[in-house]
Amino acid sequence: MTEPTSPTSPASPNAKDQKSVRSAVLGFPRIGARRELKFAAEAFWRGDSDAETLDETAAQLRTRHWIAQRQRGIDVIPSNDFSFYDQMLDMTALLGAIPQRFGWQPATPIDHATYFACARGTDTAPAMEMTKWFDTNYHYIVPEFDDATRFSLARTTPLDAWQEARALGITTRPVLIGPLTFLLLGKSKSDGLDPLSLLPQLLEVYADLLGQLKKAGVDWVQIDEPILVTDLPAGAAEAFKQTYAALAPVAPKIMLTTYFGSLGDNQELATGLPVAGLHLDCLRGTDDVKVVASNLTADQTLSLGLVDGRNIWRTNLSPTLARAKELASHHKGDIEIASSCSLLHTPVDVSLESKLDLELKSWLAFATQKLDEISTLARGLWDGEETVAATLRASTEAATTRANSKHTYNPLVRGRIASLDASATDRKSPFAERQKAQADLGLPPLPTTTIGSFPQTAEVRKARVANKRGDLSDADYRVFLERETEATIRKQEALDIDVLVHGEFERTDMVEYFGEQLDGFAFTSNGWVQSYGSRCVRPPVIFGDVSRPGPMTVDWTKYAQSLTDRPVKGMLTGPVTILQWSFVRDDQSREDTCRQIGLAIRDEVADLEKAGIRIIQIDEPALREGLPLRKADQADYLDWAVNCFRLSGSPVEDATQIHTHMCYSEFNDIMEAIAAFDADVISIETSRSDMELLAAFGDFHYPNDIGPGIWDIHAPRVPDADEIERLISKAANVIDPKHLWINPDCGLKTRGWPEVETSLANMVTAAKAARTRLGAS
């Protein structure tokens, strides 16, 4: 633990060109080290607890996190970084932009029920759309704008949180999503409505809020504008100038934060804004710092994001401190040493990992440990290396051990990769010929299927835990899983679904399950991060070269296929998604790691085909998520990502049908890459967008088959057959019906059996009606 540096003390000999050096964090994980928020929210949703209990849990977590940051030497501690569901949804509520279908009336409180309804939907109001937050696996709730949108200050959450921390004796910096990021990441629901046209009235509300914060005594406010690391649309640059010219005079000192990439051609724009400080992601925006530092005045603070907020590898502190010194030398004003972005994307505390290999554990730093790294760097920059010498030595030792570890290198894997030629990524024949070879599957027009998983009931989870504890033998657990699988096959037959799945009851997570059976992966016990709402994932840790010791899914898929004459899909997770949803080693390129995973999945695909499985789905929901934020950088990524998928799915004969699945993505800008996948069938999420996302496939004239999701499984509502048939009709207006499949938009493991069976029955009824109607027309 380090003592906080003083932002007002005179410059020391080691930092004589700066007025002060401070340590800062842009945000802290909100879920709790043991997922306390998840369980409290879900209890509230079930009706097992009340709003007061939920609020009490939230207050306890905020207090714990503020105190932890202060104790570990963080000078600039964020507030209003907490959220019950999502920070963009919080801004929607704060700004009074609740869509009309949820029945909220301006000038009335927005209670938990209304707030959660926006995210989860109700029986009468579909949930707001959800998509990925830039290139992360975190999902945000997309703001909706229409001709009736009116903004008003509907909550006082930022001020409340600041006062809550102040009562504990902790001065914090409130965090807000910036107005341009809020507007440009939203979606217009009225034809021709430009979100930027809403800026004048939006700025009135921001000015009101910031004025209240300043009047209350708030000294600094953090305004997040990560949209600045993207290719801005026409008019956005001028909008930025107008926005901060209007806000700076009425606001506390503004720390404008950018992250996830380089400012690039927005450097001049960002440095010209009248803000008191500018934060740069020095890990992903390496080209920015010297230019920006030189352009900022001595009265402005430069925040250097030097500790990775998105990965779990320990920072090599000695070279990072040297870099901090070099970068700081270009600026005459105050310096902040900070996380590259919010620590939201990392687990809470590695000290809870009692079962992790000790050598591997010594290479890791979760959010709590990153606090120590940030404060160490700030102290080293301010007081000199000698004051943190022991910490620097320990960091160097860990980095050296990792670099020399035999566990990170497998010569057999590298030899196989080196021997691959171009033909390894090609199917034997074009889609039209494959389609003929697959005709003997005997599928009707508009074939029905599901995405893979079925409900993971309390009984399933209980049996899994009992087996891990040793209370349920492997043999008895196998019998239990066989019973669940057979029951699921029978239910699908009774529902008259055309292509079945085995239900995945043996799997905890679509990435974890495969990582547990692949070499080069490790797993934490408490390494949870938030994906959306209460949905938490525990990403695997890829620390070494990846290979497949043996078959992973063949046994269960063969068993399910033996129970029915209908085709059963083999269910796999694709290499890009396994890469994106893991904490990936940073000592080689992501492309090299992805290719190793693709080769392992390729072996599994070949074994499934040998076992008689005619339909194999390789899910790639994370393809769009990994897309670089700048168009100039995207072609290279798409090239290797597509090739890794094709490597995994190409060893089969024409008669074997390869499916893939993608969800919660904007597809327009990657249609050529999706077509290059050359999957026989792609299923996508379209229900939340009311089939709007499907338009990209129609405009592109996508050549293969498509299954547009017609049931939003992330909302606790059952669509009726008429609603589903309406969506099928909309899809058939865009895509030739002979290329359409009918399916939900994602897996069903988070839903309950009653709603699943009713919804699937409605889906099949709607598909049959559509077959009749479209066939007749």
Side-chain angles (χ1 to χ4, degrees):
M1 188 185 306
T2 64
E3 292 299 320
T5 57
S6 171
T8 57
S9 60
S12 75
N14 296 293
K16 59 185 177 181
D17 291 333
Q18 286 82 48
K19 288 183 292 187
S20 70
V21 176
R22 295 183 290 268
S23 55
V25 172
L26 270 60
F28 199 78
R30 57 188 63 134
I31 60 174
R34 302 188 184 277
R35 295 179 291 161
E36 294 92 329
L37 183 60
K38 166 189 173 66
F39 300 122
E42 291 177 353
F44 175 76
W45 297 340
R46 292 192 305 267
D48 294 341
S49 70
D50 55 20
E52 183 178 349
T53 302
L54 178 59
D55 289 337
E56 182 178 344
T57 298
Q60 291 170 353
L61 288 171
R62 289 192 294 268
T63 297
R64 182 194 308 168
H65 298 159
W66 287 327
I67 291 174
Q69 291 173 78
R70 182 176 64 178
Q71 289 177 337
R72 291 178 180 267
I74 300 301
D75 301 319
V76 182
I77 298 171
S79 59
N80 199 47
D81 55 330
F82 178 86
S83 176
F84 284 103
Y85 201 98
D86 163 56
Q87 67 268 20
M88 285 289 278
L89 176 58
D90 290 354
M91 288 305 300
T92 295
L94 178 70
L95 299 168
I98 302 294
Q100 291 180 328
R101 66 182 177 276
F102 297 104
W104 176 73
Q105 297 297 318
T108 63
I110 300 175
D111 59 12
H112 285 317
T114 300
Y115 174 86
F116 288 127
C118 293
R120 307 178 72 236
T122 67
D123 289 341
T124 57
M128 295 174 69
E129 189 174 339
M130 182 166 62
T131 196
K132 298 294 178 69
W133 178 245
F134 292 87
D135 59 350
T136 74
N137 186 33
Y138 177 83
H139 302 64
Y140 74 94
I141 300 297
V142 181
E144 296 180 12
F145 310 126
D146 58 32
D147 293 332
T149 296
R150 297 292 182 271
F151 298 112
S152 61
L153 190 57
R155 284 183 160 185
T156 57
T157 314
L159 178 58
D160 296 341
W162 182 82
Q163 291 174 331
E164 183 181 340
R166 192 66 180 263
L168 298 170
I170 301 174
T171 299
T172 60
R173 184 168 69 187
V175 179
L176 300 172
I177 299 293
L180 275 305
T181 294
F182 180 77
L183 288 177
L184 293 175
L185 291 184
K187 177 169 283 190
S188 297
K189 294 294 185 178
S190 295
D191 291 341
L193 176 66
D194 180 0
L196 289 179
S197 68
L198 300 173
L199 183 59
Q201 59 157 308
L202 179 62
L203 287 183
E204 293 180 9
V205 182
Y206 268 87
D208 184 5
L209 171 62
L210 291 168
Q212 290 186 31
L213 291 174
K214 186 175 184 178
K215 183 177 180 180
V218 174
D219 189 26
W220 280 85
V221 62
Q222 174 183 320
I223 300 185
D224 289 355
E225 292 282 17
I227 202 72
L228 277 167
V229 304
T230 69
D231 299 314
L232 294 177
E238 187 60 32
F240 262 103
K241 296 174 185 177
Q242 295 172 358
T243 292
Y244 287 91
L247 296 183
V250 300
K253 296 176 185 177
I254 295 174
M255 173 58 73
L256 186 68
T257 53
T258 66
Y259 41 81
F260 298 156
S262 171
L263 287 171
D265 57 355
N266 295 324
Q267 287 178 352
E268 184 177 351
L269 170 63
T271 56
L273 298 175
V275 295
L278 182 63
H279 171 84
L280 303 176
D281 183 336
C282 296
L283 302 180
R284 293 185 168 225
T286 54
D287 298 332
D288 287 333
V289 186
K290 293 180 182 179
V291 174
V292 169
S294 299
N295 288 344
L296 292 179
T297 69
D299 293 330
Q300 292 176 295
T301 298
L302 175 63
S303 176
L304 301 173
L306 290 166
V307 172
D308 197 344
R310 292 183 54 169
N311 213 331
I312 45 75
W313 301 105
R314 191 168 171 173
T315 303
N316 193 350
L317 292 175
S318 289
T320 304
L321 179 56
R323 186 173 180 228
K325 288 181 178 180
E326 197 275 329
L327 296 176
S329 70
H330 295 274
H331 181 55
K332 300 299 183 182
D334 291 354
I335 293 291
E336 286 185 3
I337 302 297
S339 53
S340 62
C341 60
S342 171
L343 298 177
L344 166 70
H345 310 286
T346 60
V348 177
D349 192 349
V350 77
S351 69
L352 299 177
E353 300 300 327
S354 59
K355 298 179 181 179
L356 203 60
D357 175 84
L358 291 179
E359 183 181 47
L360 175 58
K361 184 177 178 180
S362 73
W363 305 342
L364 304 181
F366 291 177
T368 301
Q369 288 69 45
K370 289 177 187 293
L371 301 177
D372 293 329
E373 294 180 338
I374 293 166
S375 59
T376 295
L377 291 170
R379 184 179 176 188
L381 183 60
W382 180 253
D383 291 329
E385 289 186 32
E386 63 278 5
T387 63
V388 291
T391 305
L392 296 181
R393 283 195 299 272
S395 173
T396 299
E397 181 180 348
T400 302
T401 301
R402 181 184 174 202
N404 297 328
S405 175
K406 64 181 181 181
H407 300 302
T408 64
Y409 183 86
N410 185 330
L412 294 178
V413 172
R414 302 200 176 205
R416 284 191 70 190
I417 292 292
S419 68
L420 293 172
D421 58 30
S423 65
T425 61
D426 293 336
R427 291 290 297 271
K428 292 180 172 58
S429 304
F431 171 69
E433 294 182 29
R434 301 198 306 264
Q435 199 172 36
K436 294 175 184 176
Q438 296 160 15
D440 65 337
L441 287 169
L443 301 176
L446 303 176
T448 55
T449 189
T450 63
I451 301 305
S453 60
F454 270 87
Q456 296 258 332
T457 62
E459 186 180 12
V460 170
R461 296 193 298 271
K462 181 179 178 181
R464 181 182 299 126
V465 170
N467 177 250
K468 288 185 176 180
R469 274 201 314 255
D471 297 338
L472 183 66
S473 70
D474 289 346
D476 288 341
Y477 185 48
R478 171 82 191 195
V479 170
F480 170 82
L481 292 175
E482 287 178 348
R483 186 172 66 247
E484 291 294 313
T485 300
E486 181 169 10
T488 298
I489 291 292
R490 300 295 171 241
K491 287 178 180 178
Q492 292 173 87
E493 288 178 328
L495 289 165
D496 204 19
I497 294 173
D498 300 307
V499 175
L500 314 187
V501 297
H502 78 286
E504 304 180 14
F505 301 107
E506 76 285 2
R507 307 183 189 185
T508 52
D509 175 84
M510 66 182 293
V511 171
E512 180 182 58
Y513 177 77
F514 292 94
E516 287 177 336
Q517 301 180 78
L518 294 169
D519 287 342
F521 282 75
F523 291 85
T524 63
S525 299
N526 291 282
W528 298 100
V529 293
Q530 185 182 20
S531 179
Y532 64 86
S534 69
R535 167 68 169 158
C536 299
V537 294
R538 198 172 39 171
V541 179
I542 305 179
F543 66 89
D545 290 339
V546 177
S547 62
R548 186 196 75 140
M552 301 179 287
T553 67
V554 175
D555 184 35
W556 280 111
T557 310
K558 280 178 60 179
Y559 173 71
Q561 186 63 81
S562 73
L563 300 172
T564 182
D565 293 331
R566 301 186 183 209
V568 174
K569 283 192 290 189
M571 299 301 306
L572 305 175
T573 302
V576 179
T577 298
I578 292 177
L579 180 87
Q580 285 294 130
W581 292 358
S582 298
F583 289 122
V584 183
R585 61 189 300 184
D586 58 358
D587 56 348
Q588 69 178 22
S589 73
R590 293 173 69 84
E591 176 184 353
D592 288 344
T593 301
C594 193
R595 189 172 289 110
Q596 292 177 358
I597 302 169
L599 190 60
I601 300 300
R602 178 186 180 90
D603 293 342
E604 186 72 9
V605 168
D607 281 348
L608 282 167
E609 184 182 53
K610 290 176 185 176
I613 304 304
R614 292 283 307 280
I615 303 179
I616 302 170
Q617 181 170 308
I618 308 172
D619 288 344
E620 286 290 22
L623 175 72
R624 179 63 175 79
E625 169 189 318
L627 192 69
L629 301 176
R630 295 283 190 168
K631 291 188 181 299
D633 303 324
Q634 293 174 359
D636 179 64
Y637 161 77
L638 290 171
D639 181 62
W640 65 253
V642 167
N643 279 331
C644 287
F645 175 86
R646 290 173 64 113
L647 175 65
S648 69
S650 64
V652 296
E653 299 298 326
D654 290 351
T656 298
Q657 192 175 81
I658 297 295
H659 289 224
T660 191
H661 170 67
M662 299 177 187
C663 58
Y664 296 109
S665 295
E666 296 289 346
F667 297 112
N668 302 59
D669 50 356
I670 59 169
M671 283 307 308
E672 290 186 4
I674 294 175
F677 264 40
D678 198 26
D680 297 301
V681 183
I682 179 174
S683 56
I684 61 173
E685 181 279 326
T686 52
S687 59
R688 279 202 178 198
S689 66
D690 201 37
M691 291 291 159
E692 289 178 13
L693 292 178
L694 192 60
F697 289 81
D699 295 341
F700 181 78
H701 301 294
Y702 184 74
N704 299 6
D705 287 0
I706 304 176
I710 46 70
W711 164 31
D712 173 21
I713 67 90
H714 295 89
R717 61 184 298 270
V718 174
D720 61 32
D722 289 341
E723 176 183 338
I724 294 173
E725 191 176 353
R726 179 184 65 82
L727 291 175
I728 295 173
S729 296
K730 290 193 72 170
N733 288 332
V734 178
I735 303 296
D736 188 331
K738 70 181 181 182
H739 288 299
L740 281 177
W741 285 59
I742 309 302
N743 46 259
D745 67 0
C746 207
L748 302 173
K749 81 174 185 180
T750 61
R751 304 267 54 96
W753 271 113
E755 62 185 296
V756 163
E757 291 189 81
T758 303
S759 297
L760 290 180
N762 292 343
M763 182 185 82
V764 172
T765 298
K768 290 179 176 178
R771 284 173 197 157
T772 301
R773 178 173 48 79
L774 293 173
S777 63

